[in-house]
Amino acid sequence: MITIRGVRKAYGSVEVLHGIDLDVARGENVCIIGPSGSGKSTLLRTLNHLEDISAGTIRVDGHLIGYEERAGRLHELRESAACQQRLQVGMVFQHFNLFPHMTALENVAFAPIKVKKEKPAQARAYATELLGRVGLAGKESSYPSKLSGGQQQRVAIARAMAMRPDVMLFDEPTSALDPELVGEVLAVMQDLARTGGITMVVVTHEIGFAREVADRVVFMDQGVIVEMGPPGQVLDDPQHDRTRSFLSAVLR
Amino acid sequence: MSKPAVAGRIVAAPPAASGPPLKVVPVRHWGRAIGAGIVLVTLAGAIKGVATNDNLEWGVVGDYLFDANVLRGLRLTLAMTGIGMVAGLVLAIVVGVMRTSASRIVSGAAAVWVFVFRGIPLVVLLIFVGNLGLFFDDLTLAIPLTGVELWSAPVSEVVTPFWASVTALALAGSGYMAEVVRAGLLSVGRGQHEAAMALGLPQVGTLRFIVLPQALRVIIPPLGNELIGMLKASAIVSVIAGGDLMTAVLGISGVTFRTIEMLIVGTLWYLAVIAVLSVGQYFLERKAAEK
Ligand SMILES: Nc1ncnc2c1ncn2[C@@H]1O[C@H](COP(=O)(O)OP(=O)(O)O)[C@@H](O)[C@H]1O
Ligand SMILES: [Mg+2]
């Protein structure tokens, strides 16, 4: 589903991704862990071209992301084409980023109506269904400011799902939440992973979640993938010192 | 009574009440009382001085308050402020958006616009626009570098005192308001842009549906002040005989020589309109504070 080859990313003269190779199969759930500043968010954001790259290629479902190949060169896509590609990739942010001037239902139905040109009635019906699925039936007309962090993040998940993406990206979806609200968001994500069909890439510090839900865990440090494999292997029997010291730090 | 199940803080029981409840005496603010007294006495003196002044003929004020010329001037003042405000705001949104552009040339041009029109005194701007006919014969709308003319007319026909006034007010207003708009746009965080982008929304749609509606909540309250400011500033168009309220009252005073009385007529109207606008602004701000 996702094929990442030799991806490098530099901000100015500072390179923060030093050649990333990663494959994610259709329907697979990959959790990315690693210390702060290791490039996890940057990698995730290159997957829907929120961030351009300095070298390498990213393919989602066979399509080159953010670029097109012409005469042996990669040309960055125009805005309209990049927007088109983003439709198949949903993203959930650490700070939810809900639209504060819209109700929960409007947040979820907005992009299907305005971007995918779905019929409003149909889009709202699906939005209502999705809000029900994330446990927010009855909150359709609440504004984000009236919702708890956990509820806001669940609306954000429904908002991304409303575009019926093939791939969902989560960037530390529970890091901004009070501890008692983390569980409800993880439960929704677990449900998404279980019902299958959707490919998920999750940057998280929730080792328990990774252990239980991930098909594969990727450990990143200083812009490279240090090791990856099934959760049992990476989390319980890490091969690298850096992984071991990171895990012992987060598991305390 | 059972003991509370959860261990909590130990709260000392209040001392048993004894005797009748004590009377509560709030602290006296003597300073405020004295200040209020001074204000009232001064105000009464001022009102008496103005109301009973033999040299001020209040009858003249009453005679001309609803004079046809004064009312026509008032209508023109309202019209030029209204049109100037809307045109200024549209310009300000364009310039404010340009100001946030990633292109140095685009944002630089917008910065120059703000610098120029915020910097030039309104009187000067007004006299420039009002006398455009001295420098240019025709006003032409054309496609640059192609020589294709879409529309053309003699300056003297287009730039009437009224439209010169509207143009000057709009240009001056756009300089101030562009900064207000820019502050509003910047108040919408990066996360909102990213969320919209991730949903596949193009930049134009992001501006229209996500950024501007949120920015308006920051922009609208200061715009109320801007509108009131523009209404007052519009009095200056009397220097090019803009036909506004001020032009009207000065015109009448030139005939009757009751200058102060006529200025009071004008003042009463300006204050009346501003009172209405202030009430409107109060409700707008309350609405903007919701959610
Ligand atoms: N917009 C940016 N400009 C410059 N440097 C950045 C920018 N965004 C991230 N970085 C740097 O890139 C590195 C990786 O950041 P990030 O991907 O956010 O790490 P993580 O998500 O793993 O904490 C960090 O050193 C960070 O300082
Ligand atoms: Mg991050």
Side-chain angles (χ1 to χ4, degrees), chain A residues 21-252:
Chain A
D21 296 293
L22 178 65
D23 292 278
V24 182
R26 182 178 294 275
E28 196 181 15
N29 182 314
V30 169
C31 283
I32 303 179
I33 60 173
S36 170
S38 56
K40 308 181 296 294
S41 299
T42 306
L43 176 62
L44 207 62
R45 293 157 53 82
T46 61
L47 297 185
N48 60 356
H49 200 55
L50 282 186
E51 217 62 82
D52 56 7
I53 55 181
S54 334
T57 57
I58 297 168
R59 285 176 199 276
V60 173
D61 210 9
H63 301 294
L64 205 53
I65 291 295
Y67 298 86
E68 66 184 337
E69 204 172 342
R70 270 185 278 139
R73 287 177 184 223
L74 291 178
H75 296 267
E76 189 163 10
L77 286 181
R78 312 190 145 275
E79 197 205 4
S80 57
C83 284
Q84 198 62 35
Q85 288 189 333
R86 291 189 183 114
L87 301 188
Q88 58 176 337
V89 182
M91 185 151 188
V92 174
F93 300 88
Q94 182 176 355
H95 296 287
F96 333 136
N97 298 353
L98 289 183
F99 305 132
H101 59 302
M102 299 183 191
T103 63
L105 187 80
E106 288 165 350
N107 262 283
V108 180
F110 169 77
I113 295 172
K114 288 290 186 246
V115 181
K116 285 183 98 178
K117 313 287 182 204
E118 283 180 20
K119 289 207 183 68
Q122 193 184 324
R124 273 193 274 275
Y126 187 46
T128 310
E129 183 192 324
L130 283 171
L131 283 175
R133 238 179 104 183
V134 300
L136 290 174
K139 294 288 184 190
E140 290 83 1
S141 51
S142 300
Y143 282 93
S145 60
K146 298 286 186 291
L147 299 174
S148 74
Q151 291 172 329
Q152 289 187 51
Q153 193 59 298
R154 286 184 281 151
V155 174
I157 294 174
R159 175 175 71 174
M161 291 297 295
M163 299 297 277
R164 303 173 201 265
D166 303 319
V167 177
M168 284 279 281
L169 309 174
F170 295 81
D171 191 1
E172 300 196 28
T174 60
S175 296
L177 296 177
D178 291 338
E180 77 270 23
L181 302 179
V182 169
E184 64 190 51
V185 171
L186 292 182
V188 165
M189 293 170 57
Q190 192 158 4
D191 174 58
L192 264 186
R194 282 234 187 81
T195 34
I198 200 144
T199 308
M200 293 168 69
V201 182
V202 184
V203 172
T204 186
H205 291 299
E206 297 293 332
I207 302 300
F209 174 84
R211 190 192 306 280
E212 201 167 327
V213 180
D215 298 307
R216 237 163 0 127
V217 174
V218 172
F219 174 70
M220 278 183 75
D221 191 17
Q222 298 182 359
V224 296
I225 291 178
V226 177
E227 65 180 299
M228 60 180 153
Q233 179 190 318
V234 175
L235 299 175
D236 299 328
D237 184 23
Q239 302 301 304
H240 291 261
D241 284 344
R242 283 200 266 176
T243 319
R244 268 193 288 275
S245 65
F246 171 75
L247 285 172
S248 66
V250 290
L251 296 173
R252 233 151 296 146

Side-chain angles (χ1 to χ4, degrees), chain B residues 24-227:
Chain B
V24 176
V25 183
V27 72
R28 293 268 148 78
H29 297 280
W30 293 111
R32 282 186 210 163
I34 293 169
I38 294 174
V39 167
L40 287 178
V41 170
T42 314
L43 199 63
I47 288 175
K48 182 164 177 286
V50 175
T52 63
N53 191 315
D54 292 337
N55 299 321
L56 262 179
E57 290 195 28
W58 285 97
V60 175
V61 173
D63 288 346
Y64 284 98
L65 196 55
F66 296 99
D67 181 85
N69 284 322
V70 170
L71 292 185
R72 178 160 358 100
L74 176 65
R75 266 201 305 280
L76 278 180
T77 287
L78 293 180
M80 66 178 59
T81 308
I83 302 174
M85 188 70 189
V86 172
L89 183 58
V90 170
L91 275 175
I93 290 177
V94 173
V95 176
V97 169
M98 284 170 66
R99 196 86 171 73
T100 61
S101 165
S103 158
R104 286 256 182 89
I105 294 178
V106 173
S107 74
V112 170
W113 179 284
V114 169
F115 175 75
V116 168
F117 289 112
R118 210 169 49 166
I120 301 181
L122 183 56
V123 203
V124 178
L125 196 56
L126 199 60
I127 295 173
F128 270 139
V129 180
N131 296 290
L132 219 53
L134 298 179
F135 316 105
F136 304 101
D137 297 331
D138 294 312
L139 211 58
T140 302
L141 198 64
I143 303 172
L145 308 179
T146 59
V148 179
E149 280 190 14
L150 300 174
W151 175 86
S152 182
V155 167
S156 53
E157 271 179 31
V158 184
V159 188
T160 60
F162 177 79
W163 286 108
S165 308
V166 168
T167 307
L169 288 173
L171 289 176
S174 76
Y176 283 101
M177 289 190 287
E179 288 297 281
V180 173
V181 169
R182 182 168 78 112
L185 294 177
L186 291 180
S187 76
V188 180
R190 229 172 91 93
Q192 293 289 306
H193 292 265
E194 290 190 342
M197 226 173 163
L199 289 168
L201 193 64
Q203 277 186 6
V204 179
T206 304
L207 187 67
R208 169 153 168 233
F209 297 114
I210 307 298
V211 178
L212 271 182
Q214 293 182 56
L216 279 184
R217 272 198 265 166
V218 178
I219 292 173
I220 283 177
L223 284 192
N225 287 327
E226 189 55 36
L227 179 59

